[in-house]
Amino acid sequence: MNVPDSSVVAVLTPSGSIDICGVDSVLLTANAGFASYQWQFDGIDIPGATSNTLYATSVGSYTFIGTTSCCGAADTSAPAIIDIFALPVADAGLGGTECDLDFTFSAVASLGTGAWSLFSGPGTAIFGDTISPTDSVSVSQYGTYVFQWAETNSACADSDTVTVTFNEQPIADAGSGGVACDSSFVLNAFATAGNGTWSQLSGPPAGVTSYSNANSATSVATVSVYGTYVYQWLEVNGICSDSDTVALTYYELPVADAGLGSIECDLDFTLNAAPSVGSGSWSQVLGAGTTVFADSTSPTSGITVSGPGTYVYRWTEVNGLCSAFSDVTVVFSALIVDAGPDTSVSLGNSVILNGQGGLSYQWTPDPSLNDLNIANPTASPLTTVTYVLTATDGSGCLGIDSVRVVVLEDFNFVVSNVMTPNGDAYNDTWYIDNIDFYSECTVSIYNRYGYLLYTKTGYTNDWDGTSGGRVLPDGTYYYIIDCPGKTDVFKGGITILRN
């Protein structure tokens, strides 16, 4: 600075090193107190630049020379060194939504150098190369992040931000399908991220599915028509989505009804199941013998068993992979009744019949039986007869057999050899057992001298030890029984004892 004769000092405002960011000029001002001014650029006068201000428009060194009005003294200011830098225009590019934890930036570089930084977000970020406008970044957790791209050109800087939302990518799993023995099925998707929705992709004609909650992974799906359906489980998390499908076959569950059982009094029966859906078949599940089915697939199959007893039969219906069964009990009671062997009995005598095979009995005809409702009644027939036995078992089944009893007219007399006609009403008359069945026979009584004391044809056990109204004395007398057509003569002695 040269001030030979002036106390006025040239001062430039601003001065020194001046960086200009993205403007066309900077206003330089000289201090007052000078009569005239001359601006210089890089030491060379700028033509016409003689006011106390100057707009600097180029990069370089600016000074001014101030001259006083007295004595022509002058002073030169310290220079203002102007550097004009272009102002960066930061462009962070496009943000967006990611279906993972990674993102590649797309900043547009302008001037100077740039750098990426995390401005905000729920987690931390790792950059691959922060000064690259197309750097890649990885974040620690899902959410919305704001990243800043800052560019610096000397003292000039600019920045821009970009917003990136990181969403978890759903991995849809529709679960397992299979077979439903019903018109409803509990779906079993595995929910991962975002919101899920069920929809029907295919099914039988007119088949429609209703959901208890279409957005629930375990929704209950109910169909209007049985058949095979394909469902889609779609998960959406922001713009991220994934889907999976599952196939289900709905079968109507059979309602097996084996019908009514029975108590059969033979070895045959006709089953009576009520078919529902699918195909059915019979099987024997219990019984002492074996069973022959006329048609095991027919609900009304006839059956024949090998022996009596209690049998259980199962009617099983199968529809696809769905099945149901019902059991029915049939009791076969082939009652075997035995009335006993044929026999004979002397006229006037009795025989005990021997029925067996049942729990209750009924004999016919009844006039000559002492009890019609027992197994072994006493029969006293007068003529040859066939007795019919009807027996009933515990199941109510009947069985019939018969026995023939031949009545023998063999004159099987049983003659009493003592009588005591003393008026005590005991043994007061002479008794001949069975004589009343032979009315054609003649009974005669003689004393020991052969004198006829009594005779009667058709004796009725009424001789009281008298003869012609006279009481015979105690002693032994003799009888003869003479029957027409019988060559044998029945004779013997009888003793009268009154005391």
Side-chain angles (χ1 to χ4, degrees), residues 114-177:
W116 286 104
S117 62
L118 173 62
F119 188 80
S120 66
T124 59
I126 298 175
F127 298 91
D129 181 3
T130 58
I131 64 174
S132 171
T134 56
D135 188 19
S136 295
V137 66
S138 296
V139 296
S140 60
Q141 66 185 74
Y142 296 104
T144 298
Y145 291 73
V146 177
F147 299 96
Q148 178 177 268
W149 171 248
E151 289 184 336
T152 302
N153 186 20
S154 186
C156 302
D158 192 24
S159 64
D160 190 21
T161 58
V162 63
T163 300
V164 181
T165 298
F166 296 88
N167 289 327
E168 182 178 357
Q169 170 63 45
I171 302 175
D173 183 348
S176 57

Side-chain angles (χ1 to χ4, degrees), residues 360-447:
S360 62
Y361 300 90
Q362 177 69 46
W363 290 92
T364 58
D366 62 348
S368 55
L369 297 173
N370 71 326
D371 193 333
L372 302 179
N373 302 118
I374 61 175
N376 52 350
T378 298
S380 303
L382 300 179
T383 59
T384 296
V385 62
T386 297
Y387 294 102
V388 177
L389 172 62
T390 301
T392 305
D393 64 9
S395 300
C397 294
L398 302 178
I400 298 176
D401 195 24
S402 62
V403 59
R404 178 178 172 82
V405 179
V406 177
V407 177
L408 302 175
E409 294 188 7
D410 55 2
F411 303 94
N412 184 20
F413 300 128
V414 179
V415 181
S416 174
N417 58 4
V418 175
M419 62 179 296
T420 58
N422 55 12
D424 62 359
Y426 177 75
N427 203 25
D428 284 341
T429 60
W430 181 44
Y431 187 80
I432 304 174
D433 192 22
N434 291 336
I435 191 64
D436 51 335
F437 296 106
Y438 298 93
S439 60
E440 74 277 14
C441 294
T442 301
V443 176
S444 301
I445 298 175
Y446 299 88
N447 63 15

